[in-house]
Amino acid sequence: MGKINPNWGIATKAIHGYGPSDPLTGAVSVPIFQTSTFEFKNAQHGADLFAGEAEGYIYSRISNPTVDAFEKEIASLEGGEVGKGFASGMAATFNAVMTECKAGDSYISSETMYGGTHAMNVHVMPRFGVTAHEVDATDLNLVEDAIKKAKNCKMLIFETPANPTLSVLDIKALTDLAHQYNLKVMVDNTFATPILQRPLESGADIVMHSATKYISGHGDVVAGCLVSDAEFRARMMEDVFIDTGGCMAPFSAWLLLRGLKTIPVRMRAHCANASRVAKFLAFHPKIESVSYPGLVSHPQHELAKKQMSDFGGMVTFTIAGGFEEGKKMMDAVSLAKVAVSLGDCDTLINHPASTTHSTYSPEDRAAAGIAENLIRISVGIEDIADILDDLNQALRQL
Ligand SMILES: Cc1ncc(COP(=O)(O)O)c(C=O)c1O
C-alpha cells in the first residue's frame, strides 16, 4: 500500500506523493520527528553512516524523516528526482547559487526578482567574489549578450511570473539558450506553484520555492525548497548545505505537507478570485494599469497561456499618483491585510516600493518596471464579493 505512482494526477500526488504511511505505526499523517540527533546501533554503524556506507539518519541538520517526506512530496509534484528543504526560500536560493558558483564566477539573474534575491545578487554575492549580472530576461538577446560578456558564467536564475510586476518569462526558450552555454538554470516557481507550472518539464535544472507562500498556504511557516536531479543535490549537500546549516525544521516540514494536501483546491480558488479582481480593477476609473497574466492586455498573455495551466493568485496594479498614493491605498483597505508575503488563504496587500522592493534603488526599481505607485495583491480565498467590496470602498477613499 501507498507506493508512489509517477503517473498519478497532480491532486493525487499532492496527497500521497511522500510515499507510504509511517512503517512503524501506520500513522497516516507523517509523524513529526522532533529530534536533533539519532542513536547509532553501535560504533561501527555510526562510522558507516558517516562514511556514506550505510543509509540512515545522523543529525537533523543533515536530514530528518519528516523533512525527507516533504522533500519526496515536492519532488513528486514538480516531476523532479529529488527535493531539499531549507529554513527559508532565501536559504534555498543561496545554497543553489553557492553550489554552482565560487569566487571568480558569475551568474545571470533576471532583473525583476523578489527584493531579497536582488539584495543577495548585489550586496551578498560580491562579498564572496561572485558577480550577478541582472538583465531584462523578457529579451533573449539581452540575456545572450550578458552570458557572452560574463566571466566564468555558471548559472541563469529567474522567476516567472515575477515578483512584483507579474511579467512572464519563457522558461523553455531561456533554458535552451542557457544550456547552449552550459549554464545551470534555476527557476523560482513560487508564484505559479507546481499546480500551474512545472519548469523541469521545460528543461530547467532546478526549481526553487519560497515554501512560505502557496506551498504552505496558511501563512504559518517560513521555509524554502529546491527540486533538482540527484547529482546537483549530492554536490550541494557536500559543498555547501551540511556545513552552513540552512536546514528545514521538522515542524515546518509537517506544516508544509499538511498545506500541500489542499494546494490544487486552493490554487483553483486563488486563480478564480484573482481573475475577478483583475477584471474589476481593469475597469475601475482610479486605476491606471493592471497586470495579471490572465488578462489579454498582459504583454506575455499568450506565453502565460502556453506555459501555465492557470494564471495564479497575484494581481498588481498602479493607481493614479505616486509613492504616497500607493501608501494611502494601504491605509484604506479593511478586509485585506496590509502585509508582505503572499499565497495565504487571507488576502494580503502590499506596496512593494516602500517594503519588499525597497532593497532596489529608485533607479533600479524603475529599470525593473516596479513603479512607485504599484500595489500588489495576493488574492485570498475569501468570498469574492467581500474582496471586491473592500477594494471598492478603499478606492473610493482615494
Ligand atoms: C518570489 C519569491 N522568491 C523568494 C522569496 C524568499 O523566500 P523566503 O521569504 O521564504 O526566504 C520570496 C519571498 O517573498 C518571494 O516572493
Side-chain angles (χ1 to χ4, degrees):
M1 283 288 283
K3 272 226 165 73
I4 301 171
N5 178 345
N7 298 323
W8 277 335
I10 198 89
T12 311
K13 285 180 181 168
I15 294 170
H16 299 281
Y18 56 82
S21 301
D22 179 48
L24 195 65
T25 61
V28 169
S29 164
V30 175
I32 305 171
F33 286 89
Q34 192 65 40
T35 183
S36 53
T37 197
F38 299 83
E39 187 181 359
F40 307 137
K41 292 183 189 119
N42 50 46
Q44 189 54 45
H45 180 223
D48 289 346
L49 284 167
F50 267 80
E53 283 158 12
E55 286 222 354
Y57 296 97
I58 297 174
Y59 186 54
S60 284
R61 196 182 74 228
I62 304 170
S63 60
N64 169 285
T66 317
V67 178
D68 274 7
F70 167 71
E71 291 168 353
K72 284 201 185 93
E73 171 83 36
I74 190 70
S76 158
L77 285 170
E78 287 288 1
E81 277 178 27
V82 287
K84 188 69 211 149
F86 293 87
S88 69
M90 285 316 304
T93 300
F94 184 69
N95 269 260
V97 174
M98 287 313 252
T99 300
E100 286 308 310
C101 299
K102 57 185 183 329
D105 291 340
S106 68
Y107 62 100
I108 310 293
S109 167
S110 164
E111 68 184 359
T112 312
M113 301 292 274
Y114 164 60
T117 313
H118 168 72
M120 185 196 81
N121 288 343
V122 300
H123 298 309
V124 180
M125 286 302 170
R127 296 166 57 92
F128 296 94
V130 174
T131 309
H133 301 282
E134 294 192 342
V135 54
D136 174 2
T138 57
D139 185 335
L140 289 185
N141 293 324
L142 291 180
V143 176
E144 185 160 24
D145 283 352
I147 296 173
K148 282 182 181 158
K149 281 194 203 126
K151 233 175 86 198
N152 300 329
C153 191
K154 295 288 161 56
M155 200 176 190
L156 168 67
I157 70 172
F158 60 91
E159 52 187 54
T160 179
N163 186 356
T165 60
L166 300 178
S167 63
V168 174
L169 299 177
D170 191 329
I171 300 172
K172 171 117 183 46
L174 283 164
T175 299
D176 288 350
L177 172 66
H179 283 172
Q180 282 174 35
Y181 294 89
N182 292 322
L183 308 189
K184 282 263 189 235
V185 175
M186 180 171 83
V187 181
D188 181 335
N189 205 25
T190 300
F191 272 32
T193 82
I195 304 305
L196 309 183
Q197 167 177 286
R198 286 178 293 284
L200 301 180
E201 290 174 1
S202 300
D205 304 293
I206 307 159
V207 165
M208 175 265 156
H209 281 279
S210 168
T212 314
K213 312 297 177 339
Y214 291 105
I215 303 287
S216 147
H218 295 76
D220 48 16
V221 59
V222 172
C225 61
L226 297 175
V227 179
S228 66
D229 63 15
E231 185 277 334
F232 173 83
R233 185 182 129 135
R235 217 157 26 86
M236 176 179 68
M237 295 292 287
E238 181 75 19
D239 291 349
V240 186
F241 179 83
I242 291 175
D243 298 317
T244 52
C247 59
M248 178 180 279
F251 186 52
S252 301
W254 185 85
L255 286 169
L256 297 173
L257 282 163
R258 179 183 158 102
L260 278 175
K261 285 188 194 282
T262 56
I263 194 172
V265 183
R266 284 189 284 109
M267 288 317 290
R268 265 203 301 280
H270 281 297
C271 292
N273 279 359
S275 165
R276 291 280 302 276
V277 166
K279 284 177 191 147
F280 162 79
L281 293 172
F283 290 105
H284 198 285
K286 291 198 176 152
I287 302 296
E288 269 182 355
S289 66
V290 181
S291 178
Y292 182 64
L295 292 180
V296 284
S297 59
H298 187 283
Q300 294 98 28
H301 174 63
E302 288 306 316
L303 172 62
K305 265 190 353 201
K306 202 173 76 184
Q307 75 183 18
M308 301 174 74
S309 61
D310 206 336
F311 304 108
M314 302 298 297
V315 179
T316 55
F317 60 96
T318 56
I319 49 175
F323 190 89
E324 286 310 319
E325 282 69 21
K327 281 172 71 187
K328 259 187 217 149
M329 176 79 188
M330 299 299 98
D331 291 329
V333 289
S334 137
L335 173 74
K337 291 174 178 150
V338 183
V340 297
S341 203
L342 57 109
D344 297 359
C345 295
D346 317 43
T347 294
L348 304 177
I349 194 161
N350 173 39
H351 176 231
S354 62
T355 58
T356 48
H357 291 72
S358 58
T359 54
Y360 283 65
S361 66
E363 297 74 36
D364 286 351
R365 263 203 303 274
I370 306 164
E372 302 296 293
N373 55 348
L374 183 121
I375 289 168
R376 188 188 78 180
I377 310 184
S378 170
V379 182
I381 60 173
E382 302 95 337
D383 288 302
I384 186 62
D386 295 326
I387 299 174
L388 296 180
D389 275 356
D390 186 34
L391 291 173
N392 213 2
Q393 68 77 26
L395 287 166
R396 263 203 307 271
Q397 291 182 50
L398 297 185

